[in-house]
Each structure stands twice: as structure tokens, then as C-alpha cells.
Amino acid sequence: MSSSSTSVVTAGAASNASVFAQLAQIQAQLQAQNDALSNQATAQSSNAIGTVQNFTKSVSKSQYNTVASATDIGTVTKGQTRVNAFGALASGDQADYLSFKLSRKSAINLGHLDMGKTRVQVMTKTGTVLADSDSKSGKLFDAYNSMINGQTTLDAGTYNIKVSRATGVKLTEKVNYGVQVAAGDYSKDYTTTVTAASSTASISASAAGISSALTDQITTMKNWTIGQTGTQKLMGSMIDLFS
């Protein structure tokens, strides 16, 4: 390998390390955030246990936005793991599909960073809708609120989350989103940054994609109203890290 090639790889790796260090800082901030929000008395909360281990990854979403091509965001294990995903619907994107596994039957805690621009639907792995954040979806909306409050128990298995635009939001408008799934307390926190679909990706391009996603998250946080549900933890004090 030539010296010039070596320098390119080294620079790219350093760039990746820097970006992932930023994500690790964000996770530390998320962990430091207070979980003391006004949950209903019967609701189950998700709390950190001891020193939380934080893990991050960046994944380019599939060019095919379908249940079958959903982006894997990790495994949720009761009392052990929490998974988070941040991404954006670019102009023209109909929806993003995310996939998580529930290792055993558990009541889940669903978090959804929402500013009235996104619609979240929780589905089985085959696409049957179990819960819907659209207030006009009737019993599915009730099921969504039940998941938000940690009151819905799901069997072990694979589930999908469909993130699309809320009614009235134009298809041409870029929309940032954040979702989170836990099953009670956790000691390991996994964050996936979902970047634009790409058939090719270099080290530096990957880092650039993560940086772009971080910028989107900061923009989202600036418009986020704190203090309504446990989903506050999705973004925490991100602005403080980059202001």
C-alpha cells in the first residue's frame, strides 16, 4: 500500500472515531438525563441500572422501503437492553422501516420523538399493525399510548416500526425522527444512526453520513418540547454538546 493510500485510510478512520466519540457523548448525556417525568401511576418506566454500556453504529437503509428490508436496530432484552434509532425521511421518501427483536415475552416501553410531523406504527414482522400514533386510528392509537406507558406485553419475536409522515406533511419535506424501545430497566444502550440508502460507501463517506445525521438530530432537538413522556430521553441534552 502506498503512503498516500495509508494516509487516506488513517484520516478516514480518525474521522469515524471522532464521530462515534460524539455519539458516545450523546449517549452519556442521555444516560445523565432524569427519567423523572410524570408517568401514570400504572405505567412502567425504563431506568438505567448501574453504569450503562453504550454502543453505536451507523447503517445505510435499504433502497427498498419495505417490511422485508427493514433496518435492524438491535435486540431488546427485559432488564438488560434498550435500543434507539435516529434518522430522517428525505424528500420523496415514503417511509423508513426499522426492525427489532424481543428476546422474551415482555412489556415494552416505546419512545417516539414527535413534533407532529411523523407517524409511527408498530408491526409484526409480516406487517400486521399493532399500534399507530395517528390519533384517528382508534384502538390502534390506544395501543400506541399503551406502549408509550409500558403497559403492552409482546411475545418474543421480531417486530417492525414504520416511520412515515403525519397527515398533512408534504412528501417533499425532510423530516427527522427518533424512536426507542426498552423492556423495563436496562444496562446496555444501543443507538443506530440510519443514513440514506447507498450502494457504495467508503470510510470517510460513512463518517460524513453520521455527521449529517447528528446535525439533523440537533435541528430536531431545537424544536422539541421537553417534559411530556419518557421519550424525552431520546434526545437529552444534545444541544449542550455542540452549542
Side-chain angles (χ1 to χ4, degrees), residues 144-215:
Y144 165 79
N145 285 320
S146 178
M147 289 184 183
I148 288 291
N149 289 319
Q151 297 169 325
T152 296
T153 298
L154 297 179
D155 290 329
T158 299
Y159 295 88
N160 292 303
I161 298 175
K162 178 182 178 180
V163 182
S164 56
R165 289 174 178 79
T167 302
V169 179
K170 294 181 179 179
L171 185 61
T172 54
E173 181 178 351
K174 182 178 181 180
V175 176
N176 301 315
Y177 65 81
V179 296
Q180 182 182 87
V181 184
D185 298 340
Y186 61 94
S187 58
K188 296 180 180 179
D189 212 9
Y190 293 84
T191 295
T192 300
T193 299
V194 184
T195 61
S198 175
S199 57
T200 59
S202 64
I203 293 176
S204 57
S206 174
I210 304 171
S211 295
S212 176
L214 284 172
T215 299

Side-chain angles (χ1 to χ4, degrees), residues 61 65-66 89 92-97 162-165 171:
K61 58 188 173 185
N65 285 337
T66 63
L89 297 175
D93 283 351
Q94 295 286 348
D96 276 6
Y97 289 87
K162 178 182 178 180
V163 182
S164 56
R165 289 174 178 79
L171 185 61

